[in-house]
Amino acid sequence: MARVLDPQELLERATAARRAGRLSEALDLASQAVALSRASGQTGGADLPQALTQLAQALRDLRRPAEARLPQEEAVASFRDAGDGLSTARALRHLGGILDDMAAHRDAVPIYVEMMALYQAAEVAPLEMANAVRALACNAEGRGDRDEAEALWHQTLERYAALDEVFKRDYGLPDNPGVTEARARLARLQPSPS
């Protein structure tokens, strides 16, 4: 008889599957973690909102942002109800990204405003703040605000460039993907020569 996994084990497996590019498996594992958290009546702890976020991320990876929106909104509400400002900020960043994926860029603006207020009220790791500024840059670009996007991509580039060693040491990446993306986005925003 197979042992029943707990939500955290399912989420660890979902994360591993997602990193390995096994997106359908990640979706299945995250769905199981959500169902198991709900079945156990676990709504106030961290398992359910984490599982909801994993589920939303898996759906987003599969390019199903409209389906990802609801679980991510529920995750935001759960973290907010628990009074966990930093987790709420992270969940809002993901929700804003989902809205951007849906081309609902203007709807994402107040989400990002709340996210930044929460991040600025907390002690945030430099990589997490770089990711937050990146989200703002993507949103500005999506809204067609070229000047704001350019300014934010410059900030993003600076923040990621300061993290070269983190990407090498902690992630084993020879190149910094944040720097690469920021430079490419900035190049795209430059006016084409006449």
Side-chain angles (χ1 to χ4, degrees), residues 67-79:
E67 292 173 65
R69 183 177 181 171
L70 218 52
Q72 194 60 46
E73 287 176 339
E74 187 178 348
V76 167
S78 284
F79 284 128

Side-chain angles (χ1 to χ4, degrees), residues 79-193:
F79 284 128
R80 202 182 269 138
D81 289 347
D84 185 341
L86 194 51
S87 293
T88 302
R90 289 179 187 127
L92 286 165
R93 180 167 49 87
H94 292 299
L95 178 57
I98 289 166
L99 292 171
D100 283 335
D101 290 347
M102 296 170 63
H105 305 294
R106 299 225 180 272
D107 293 343
V109 171
I111 301 294
Y112 288 131
V113 168
E114 182 182 359
M115 171 199 77
M116 286 307 288
L118 290 168
Y119 273 139
Q120 290 166 347
E123 191 170 316
V124 180
L127 179 58
E128 190 157 354
M129 189 54 87
N131 291 338
V133 176
R134 177 196 175 276
L136 297 176
C138 289
N139 178 263
E141 199 172 333
R143 286 184 286 110
D145 189 331
R146 192 177 162 281
D147 291 340
E148 183 181 352
E150 191 171 351
L152 287 165
W153 278 116
H154 278 293
Q155 285 182 43
T156 301
L157 176 60
E158 289 173 21
R159 288 179 182 277
Y160 279 125
L163 299 169
D164 276 344
E165 193 54 40
V166 171
F167 282 99
K168 288 177 186 162
R169 182 190 65 234
D170 296 350
Y171 299 100
L173 298 173
D175 296 315
N176 183 326
V179 167
T180 302
E181 179 190 26
R183 285 185 178 144
R185 299 275 196 138
L186 282 166
R188 237 184 14 225
L189 287 170
Q190 298 307 310
S192 31

Side-chain angles (χ1 to χ4, degrees), residues 36-61:
L36 190 57
S37 294
R38 288 192 197 287
S40 68
Q42 193 277 19
T43 55
D47 286 348
L48 181 59
Q50 286 175 357
L52 289 163
T53 294
Q54 283 267 23
L55 176 61
Q57 287 174 335
L59 288 163
R60 193 173 173 198
D61 289 344

